[in-house]
Amino acid sequence: MSAPLICLLAIIAGVVADASPALLLAAGVAVASVAPVCRRRYLHALLLAAVACLFAGYAAAVRDAVLEAPLTEALGPVLDDRTAPPVWIIGVLSEDAAPDVDSVRLAIRVDHVGVGGEHGPLRAVRGRAQVAVSGLLGPPAAGQWVRGRRIAAPVLARRPQVWRNPGASSERWQRLRRPLDVTGTVKSAALVVVTPGRPWSEWAARVRAHVRAAIGRTVGRVSPESAGIVTAILIGDRSGLDEATIRRLQMAGTYHVIAISGGNIAIVVMTCLWALRLVVRSPRVIAALTLGVVLAYGGVVGDQASVSRAVAAASVVLALQIVGWCATSLRVFAVAALGVALLDPLAVVDVSAWLSFGATLGILVIAGQIDRGAWRARGVIVVAALSMLAATAAAELALMPISAAVFSRVSIAGFVLNFVAIPAMAATQLAGTVVVIVGGLWPTLAEIAAAVARIGATALVRSAGLLDVAPWLSWQTPPVWWGWTAIYYASMTLALWPRVPRQWRPRAAGASAACLLVILWSPNWFAPAPPPGWLRVSMLDVGQGQAIAVQFPSGQSLLLDAGGGGMSFDVGARVVEPALWALGIRRLDWLAVTHGDVDHAGGAASVMRDLRPREVWEGVPVPGDARMQALRTGAHQQGVVWRRLLSGHTFEVGSALVEVLNPPAPDWERPDNRNDDSIVLRVRFGEVSLLLTGDIERTAEGALTLDRAAKLRLLGAPHHGSRTSSSPALLRGWLPHAAFVSAGRGNTFGHPAPDVLSRYRRLGVEVFRTDLDGAIVIDTDGRRVSVRTAGGRSWRLSYVETGGTTE
């Protein structure tokens, strides 16, 4: 095993393992101190072990610095106090401003904070913050919020969301992989103070602005969508792309070509090498000049993780050429990977790094096994096509398990689409570069290049239409036990390793193929379903929203709402679906949307598409609600029954009874969603009754027909525990033994309200909250209730003929 690989494994161990940095560094020093007195034949091994320990200690120190999060510690009291005033956050913008639906997002490298107002004392502390600037003044001001400029703003700061759901990664793992320490909002762009950055960053900002303007004038004049694609490929700015385009490319498996990474940098490197060879004879000088171009390009584009990794890897390879170090491709790859890991040890837990290096390694190892000499007689074009097919197949085989485990999606469309996407990306990048360089000097050439870039971008987007013809080429797959992935890669390594006996290689390849089938098929072998004869209700942690899964003893399942409030990503696909899979739900029978507010309906479209419910339920229709109308249209296209529920409807699911208590039939057309129109369900199973109330408030609560015949009564707190709900009339009428509140940690609405919690407390009601407890799982056999939370809390309630007892 080569030294770079051992050192890389040491860095991985330092980040992943729970070892003390001081202990690892001490071990490295101890091993190094023994080396001078050991025998010569052991010297190399001891020195390598010492270096590996030092690298592991360095990686562990970086890991601890991220986990300790000095910025979070400095603002701890403020982050946990929902009534705290804004704090002043001062730092440098790490990315250009990104316009969102109703705000502008800023990424800040923080160096000072102030908690005493604008003129209060400042504290030096480093960290990463993501801030959303609200109001109408944000979009016009976004042009001055560019990377490298200093910024100061009063921020209503909060802790980043950590998802605590069945099947979710541990909190420690989520903290390691998230790109920020603090999140928050600024009320208005008028409160943001920005000052110019250093000359280099100002020059880079002007270059990016020139790229946007040049592409907008030429490509965007005919096709704004193509202009967004070209800009994304050239400088990594994807703000010009709509969510539908991004999702189509992701499902097709070609999204990687518009995210600046190894492919884009490779085109820059190859173009420079080819052009410089026309005027420079020395290979080392050519490599040095190309290195300068790559570093300048990386500085202009930005310091996103994918860009930094690609630039670092290319810099290592070019530096090796400059010093004249000749080695095999795999050894150069190992040195480049080690260089990236040394620059940023947390890259070893970054999924995008896995994809980039995994694809490259797959191409080097798997495609490298193919003898292209047998193809040469067929011509250059055939060799190029077969080589691309081999590289695509190798990359797909290397990345499929990662895609299935991380994104829960597998696409084999890339085998075909890469023949279009990769050449289209290369043509778009080269033509777009020509537009940017000669746009003001040679308009005719710029227009021709713009046409080429537009054609390439259009071909890239339209190629994803293959999924409309053959949707089976991309599918959602729940993640499987991690051991299958480990066995897959181990078997593939044995099948490809030259030192493995030849007779063992077919067996290893067969084992690898079998594991891949399990990963792609994802059989539901070990799903933690409820015990036979039990009903399970799970209130998921979806932040400031609601998603409640009901698993009936008969095996059918109902999802009440699908979260989605205040997130810049699809909560349905990223949060709700993995939690449902972990609960053993592979297909829904019913999807109920209590009302159309985004925190209840925002993730419903993804859930409907991927979990294919037989019916979708709504309450009072709102003709002007675009979200619900789009959901309805999607249901009709999928052949899903769309049903309207009103108070008085009932249905039986095995031995469980579901009653609809709200809304009543409307007597006027709703122009907008109303909380009091929420669907309210009462689920009765044996002596246990659970009231699920949506967002109803006092008026609707008073109109509910409550029946306390059930001995054990549970309540889903209305409207996330707001002070306009959980009225004394409701609590006295239902007399719940336990209440469950779905609310986001540190939410700006103040949910659940302190007076509501006091009301529950005075009645002796046990309260569970997703903001504190994480996901809440309720199991019952009709006479006993067991509650457990992701945070480790548990509670039991049981009924006997002589009365009820709790423990």
Side-chain angles (χ1 to χ4, degrees):
M1 187 178 293
S2 66
L5 181 57
I6 292 175
C7 293
L8 179 61
L9 292 175
I11 292 176
I12 295 174
V15 172
V16 175
D18 191 15
S20 167
L23 181 62
L24 291 171
L25 293 174
V29 173
V31 173
S33 64
V34 176
V37 298
C38 72
R39 294 185 178 181
R40 188 178 186 85
R41 60 178 178 177
Y42 299 126
L43 180 60
H44 180 268
L46 284 175
L47 290 177
L48 181 58
V51 171
C53 288
L54 294 176
F55 281 4
Y58 158 68
V62 174
R63 174 206 66 202
D64 287 352
V66 171
L67 292 176
E68 290 168 2
L71 179 60
T72 305
E73 293 297 325
L75 298 178
V78 175
L79 300 177
D80 296 326
D81 183 2
R82 292 181 300 192
T83 64
V87 299
W88 276 87
I89 286 183
I90 303 171
V92 178
L93 289 169
S94 59
E95 298 177 13
D96 291 349
D100 210 339
V101 177
D102 54 359
S103 63
V104 177
R105 285 183 288 111
L106 305 178
I108 306 172
R109 289 196 301 269
V110 180
D111 49 49
H112 288 82
V113 295
V115 295
E118 183 176 3
H119 303 292
L122 296 179
R123 177 178 175 182
V125 60
R126 295 189 177 276
R128 304 158 300 174
Q130 181 173 288
V131 175
V133 182
S134 306
L136 298 177
L137 298 178
Q144 61 179 315
W145 299 331
V146 297
R147 182 170 61 88
R149 289 184 176 175
R150 289 196 62 80
I151 193 168
V155 178
L156 189 61
R158 295 290 177 261
R159 295 182 188 273
Q161 179 70 48
V162 175
W163 308 108
R164 293 174 293 174
N165 280 314
S169 303
S170 67
E171 182 172 350
R172 179 176 183 271
W173 188 256
Q174 291 185 54
R175 290 170 62 192
L176 276 177
R177 292 173 59 183
R178 73 188 181 198
L180 65 154
D181 304 312
V182 169
T183 185
T185 56
V186 179
K187 290 185 177 180
S188 171
L191 302 174
V192 178
V193 179
V194 62
T195 55
R198 296 178 178 177
W200 163 257
S201 63
E202 290 294 308
W203 178 83
R206 287 194 292 271
V207 171
R208 293 193 299 276
H210 171 67
V211 171
R212 296 186 186 99
I215 298 302
R217 285 194 307 268
T218 54
V219 181
R221 188 178 66 249
V222 178
S223 173
E225 181 185 63
S226 297
I229 292 289
V230 177
T231 305
I233 291 175
L234 289 179
I235 59 174
D237 180 3
R238 295 186 287 276
S239 60
L241 302 177
D242 57 61
E243 289 297 325
T245 300
I246 291 175
R247 179 159 186 84
R248 283 176 65 83
L249 294 175
Q250 289 173 336
M251 294 179 64
T254 55
Y255 180 71
H256 62 93
V257 301
I258 67 168
I260 293 184
S261 57
N264 306 75
I265 301 298
I267 291 176
V268 172
V269 170
M270 289 187 294
T271 303
C272 288
L273 292 176
W274 174 81
L276 290 171
R277 281 178 184 148
L278 300 178
V279 294
V280 180
R281 299 185 61 182
S282 171
R284 295 188 178 185
V285 174
I286 292 175
L289 294 174
T290 302
L291 176 59
V293 172
V294 168
L295 293 176
Y297 179 69
V300 169
V301 169
D303 57 356
Q304 302 103 315
S306 61
V307 176
S308 300
R309 280 194 304 272
V311 170
S315 300
V316 170
V317 174
L318 292 170
L320 293 178
Q321 291 184 12
I322 293 172
V323 300
W325 187 63
C326 298
T328 63
S329 299
L330 282 176
R331 187 174 290 273
V332 172
F333 170 83
V335 173
L338 177 60
V340 170
L342 285 173
L343 289 174
D344 179 17
L346 294 185
V348 302
V349 295
D350 189 330
V351 175
S352 60
W354 299 351
L355 297 176
S356 298
F357 285 99
T360 304
L361 183 61
I363 293 171
L364 291 175
V365 175
I366 301 175
Q369 302 279 331
I370 300 173
D371 181 13
R372 291 174 174 78
W375 299 346
R376 288 174 185 161
R378 301 177 181 271
V380 176
I381 296 178
V382 173
V383 171
L386 292 177
S387 297
M388 182 177 290
L389 179 61
T392 300
E396 294 289 348
L397 288 173
L399 299 182
M400 272 187 181
I402 297 176
S403 298
V406 177
F407 304 114
S408 302
R409 177 166 292 280
V410 173
S411 174
I412 59 175
F415 284 101
V416 177
L417 295 183
N418 278 335
F419 282 90
V420 176
I422 293 177
M425 182 270 286
T428 300
Q429 183 173 352
L430 294 173
T433 303
V434 172
V435 170
V436 171
I437 294 175
V438 306
L441 303 175
W442 197 344
T444 303
L445 180 59
E447 288 297 330
I448 295 173
V452 173
R454 191 163 51 246
I455 292 171
T458 302
L460 177 59
V461 175
R462 298 295 180 267
S463 66
L466 176 64
L467 294 181
D468 297 331
V469 180
W472 47 268
L473 291 174
S474 177
W475 66 93
Q476 203 82 358
T477 177
V480 297
W481 174 56
W482 64 268
W484 291 112
T485 303
I487 297 172
Y488 170 80
Y489 285 117
S491 301
M492 180 179 289
T493 301
L494 291 176
L496 297 173
W497 199 315
R499 296 183 182 181
V500 174
R502 185 176 297 274
Q503 64 271 21
W504 284 97
R505 294 185 191 178
R507 301 175 187 176
S512 181
C515 290
L516 183 60
L517 288 176
V518 171
I519 292 169
L520 301 184
W521 175 37
S522 186
N524 199 13
W525 288 337
F526 307 108
W534 286 61
L535 180 141
R536 172 173 291 172
V537 179
S538 303
M539 179 175 280
L540 305 181
D541 178 12
V542 291
Q544 185 60 24
Q546 175 176 283
I548 301 174
V550 183
Q551 296 169 269
F552 294 95
S554 56
Q556 287 132 309
S557 56
L558 159 69
L559 179 66
L560 189 70
D561 290 332
M567 301 298 171
S568 59
F569 55 86
D570 190 341
V571 172
R574 294 270 296 274
V575 179
V576 177
E577 290 178 18
L580 296 179
W581 291 328
L583 290 168
I585 300 174
R586 297 301 177 88
R587 182 174 184 181
L588 286 170
D589 293 280
W590 306 286
L591 169 62
V593 181
T594 58
H595 63 301
D597 284 355
V598 66
D599 57 330
H600 292 252
S606 301
V607 171
M608 182 180 69
R609 181 187 61 247
D610 296 331
L611 296 183
R612 309 180 310 283
R614 292 175 174 82
E615 295 186 3
V616 175
W617 300 342
E618 73 165 343
V620 177
V622 180
D625 186 345
R627 184 180 301 105
M628 290 299 292
Q629 294 307 314
L631 186 67
R632 187 180 199 174
T633 301
H636 293 161
Q637 292 173 347
Q638 288 185 220
V640 176
V641 174
W642 187 272
R643 190 179 300 278
R644 186 174 302 164
L645 297 187
L646 298 173
S647 56
H649 290 166
T650 63
F651 60 97
E652 296 181 4
V653 186
S655 53
L657 174 66
V658 179
E659 303 168 273
V660 183
L661 305 186
N662 196 70
D667 52 6
W668 52 281
E669 184 178 285
R670 305 294 198 254
D672 204 350
N673 292 299
R674 299 171 66 245
N675 287 340
D676 279 346
D677 285 338
S678 297
I679 293 175
V680 176
L681 300 180
R682 180 167 56 200
V683 181
R684 174 76 181 266
F685 181 54
E687 295 295 340
V688 178
S689 189
L690 173 63
L691 191 63
L692 303 174
T693 55
D695 271 0
I696 61 170
E697 299 179 330
R698 289 192 183 97
T699 301
E701 290 175 1
L704 294 180
T705 302
L706 301 177
D707 179 6
R708 298 207 307 262
K711 306 301 181 183
L712 308 179
R713 294 174 299 278
L714 310 174
L715 173 66
H719 198 192
H720 318 286
S722 75
R723 58 171 43 92
T724 59
S725 302
S726 298
S727 62
L730 173 66
L731 300 189
R732 286 196 301 268
W734 186 240
L735 290 178
H737 294 91
F740 308 93
V741 184
S742 181
R745 184 174 184 178
N747 67 85
T748 57
F749 302 98
H751 297 161
D755 52 342
V756 169
L757 296 175
S758 298
R759 199 175 300 149
Y760 282 120
R761 197 177 301 114
R762 287 195 300 270
L763 292 175
V765 179
E766 192 77 17
V767 177
F768 295 85
R769 301 165 48 178
T770 58
D771 60 332
L772 300 181
D773 300 311
I776 305 164
V777 179
I778 308 159
D779 288 317
T780 177
D781 64 351
R783 300 182 66 86
R784 293 168 291 174
V785 175
S786 172
V787 181
R788 53 188 170 85
T789 71
R793 186 178 169 196
S794 61
W795 182 80
R796 289 181 176 82
L797 181 73
S798 60
Y799 169 76
V800 293
E801 292 297 333
T802 57
T805 61
T806 64
E807 56 177 356

